[in-house]
Amino acid sequence: APPGPLAGRHLLVTAGPTHEPIDPVRYIANRSSGRQGYAIAAALAALGARVTLVSGPVGLPDPPGVAVRRVETAREMLAACEVALPADAAVCAAAVADWRVAREAGHKLKKVPGQPPPPLPLALNPDILATLAAPGPRRPRLVVGFAAETEHVVEHAREKRARKGCDWIVANDVSGDVMGGEENTVHLVTEAGVEDWPRLHKSAVAERLASRIAAAMPPGMAG
Ligand code: C5P
């Protein structure tokens, strides 16, 4: 690994959407581009960390020096994260689908003339961030989540930090064109309080977050 403040550290990052199959040809998805998570993985690797990036389906190339595990569904994403543990820190930037189709059809659902559309009952997906942040011997020392909000951004992020059990929340103001866009306006919510960051390119948000993570785990500290 290259030298740097995160040399010897293993960082786990999730990114992108998940695809939840309906049948062999259809799925439920969302508009996440994966850009912010990929930029974070790249920034952590640039600081010397060994990085495992668990990525949903995106159109982005593997960041240099990062081990990418490509998955489709939320359940596959959780399993890949658990395989990647132990990690010194985890950053959950993925836009995981909250729900999956309860029973994936083994064949393409047929449109039958004169028949109503098929019902599509949903099931709750696992919460990867909350699972990684749950107390236990394999909990990464620092667990960072994201929160996309359009209003009461910081208040909701504080509540999310408590509910999910994570250490930090990067709260995104998504009232503009953040989803798929190049820039991001975020607030870093920690135990100590809230920092408002200026509107920055996603790569600058990633670099800033990576250096904050490096500062939170000084070299030489036990993992
Ligand atoms: O409350 P919400 O689900 O929007 O919180 C978003 C945060 O939780 C993000 O960090 C996201 O990566 C994570 N998350 C997750 N697994 C889920 C849902 C959200 O890891 N099933």
Side-chain angles (χ1 to χ4, degrees), residues 92-209:
C92 293
V96 183
D98 291 312
W99 307 289
R100 66 177 179 274
V101 175
R103 291 189 55 203
E104 179 187 350
H107 57 274
K108 186 184 171 196
L109 296 175
K110 296 302 283 181
K111 178 174 55 181
V112 182
Q115 292 289 301
L120 214 55
L122 302 177
L124 200 57
N125 266 334
D127 190 312
I128 296 163
L129 173 60
T131 304
L132 293 175
R138 285 161 74 80
R139 187 194 191 278
R141 192 144 45 82
L142 180 68
V143 179
V144 183
F146 274 70
E149 309 285 352
T150 54
E151 53 191 353
H152 308 297
V153 176
V154 166
E155 191 184 321
H156 285 144
R158 277 212 175 92
E159 182 274 328
K160 190 160 293 181
R161 181 178 168 275
R163 179 164 45 87
K164 302 237 185 187
C166 60
D167 302 292
W168 299 352
I169 286 274
V170 180
N172 270 11
D173 189 336
V174 292
S175 43
D177 61 345
V178 167
M179 279 290 226
E182 293 287 341
E183 294 191 321
N184 222 344
T185 306
V186 308
H187 313 268
L188 181 64
V189 180
T190 71
E191 165 116 73
V194 182
E195 276 172 37
D196 302 316
W197 291 6
R199 183 170 173 88
L200 294 167
H201 196 271
K202 285 180 177 176
S203 62
V205 170
E207 282 158 21
R208 220 161 146 146
L209 182 64

